[in-house]
Amino acid sequence: MVRTLVLCLGNIGPEYADTRHNIGFMVADYLAAKHDARFEIGRHAFVTEIKAKGKMYVLVKPTTYMNLSGKAAAHYLTSLKLEKEQLLVVTDDLALPYAKLRLKGKGSAGGHNGLKSIQEIIGSDEYARLRFGVDANFPKGRQVDYVLDPFSADERIDLPLHIEKAADAVLAFGALGIERAMNVVNVK
């Protein structure tokens, strides 16, 4: 059965659990809970598999911290014998308004250290990424503090709904492929 590798970015540790930078982990946790799957410790990551609509998804939460996420990407692409076209990275994005989803088949790292690491280690920017908008509502020079802060009280009100939509986008990528999934996810 064809598998999709879903690399969900975040940082390990309770101090990062509810931060904007950990939206990838939140999406992975939602998918695992919905499909009664449990994460186990693997090489460079917590890993589990789910099956949805006849497709298999390998959910990976790197344990290397954000700046070294490429280690997990490379390991699981190689060990599972998958192509870059079967990889979807779920990450936060400061350039998008809060909760806006954007699915792309390739692109630059856009200053995101997790994406930079992946691109350096796998040697390509041609892999799919699902970007979850976290907005850029911070004073100049405070970007790191902002992404490592929890979502605001107002944002947390509907955050579960937005996480569910992001999870649906992950499943759409695996079921439909990048082009058709982009038509579903990237609506205005």
Side-chain angles (χ1 to χ4, degrees):
M1 180 175 288
V2 175
R3 292 191 233 176
T4 298
L5 175 60
V6 186
L7 190 75
C8 299
L9 301 188
N11 287 309
I12 59 169
E15 66 272 29
Y16 300 111
D18 297 320
T19 65
R20 291 176 179 90
H21 226 20
N22 270 36
I23 194 64
F25 280 16
M26 293 176 205
V27 172
D29 290 341
Y30 173 87
L31 282 165
K34 183 175 180 182
H35 295 276
D36 295 321
R38 290 180 180 254
F39 282 96
E40 295 182 6
I41 189 68
R43 185 159 181 201
H44 302 304
F46 294 107
V47 184
T48 193
E49 285 191 1
I50 63 168
K51 185 175 181 182
K53 299 179 184 176
K55 306 289 182 181
M56 291 297 297
Y57 298 82
V58 180
L59 306 177
V60 175
K61 298 190 317 184
T63 55
T64 56
Y65 290 100
M66 189 68 75
N67 297 353
L68 298 173
S69 298
K71 286 184 174 186
H75 173 74
Y76 288 97
L77 282 171
T78 301
S79 67
L80 297 172
K81 297 180 174 69
L82 300 176
E83 300 297 324
K84 289 185 299 275
E85 295 78 23
Q86 294 168 278
L87 170 64
L88 174 63
V89 176
V90 181
T91 187
D92 60 301
D93 194 309
L94 290 165
L96 293 173
Y98 169 68
K100 177 81 172 172
L101 297 176
R102 183 65 61 217
L103 180 63
K104 292 179 69 177
K106 62 181 178 178
S108 76
H112 193 288
N113 289 330
L115 297 179
K116 281 183 195 174
S117 173
I118 293 165
Q119 289 174 199
E120 286 172 6
I121 293 178
I122 70 170
S124 175
D125 66 355
E126 295 192 14
Y127 60 88
R129 71 275 323 260
L130 176 64
R131 298 171 13 211
F132 186 107
V134 295
D135 216 340
N137 190 15
F138 56 88
K140 185 173 176 144
R142 305 296 301 203
Q143 175 177 336
V144 171
D145 294 332
Y146 179 75
V147 296
L148 294 179
D149 278 343
F151 285 96
S152 72
D154 285 346
E155 290 169 335
R156 284 194 301 267
I157 292 169
D158 56 1
L159 184 59
L161 173 66
H162 298 305
I163 289 171
E164 182 179 0
K165 286 182 181 178
D168 290 344
V170 167
L171 300 181
F173 171 79
L176 304 173
I178 185 65
E179 295 299 328
R180 287 177 56 207
M182 284 170 54
N183 291 334
V184 172
V185 175
N186 297 341
V187 293
K188 296 203 183 252

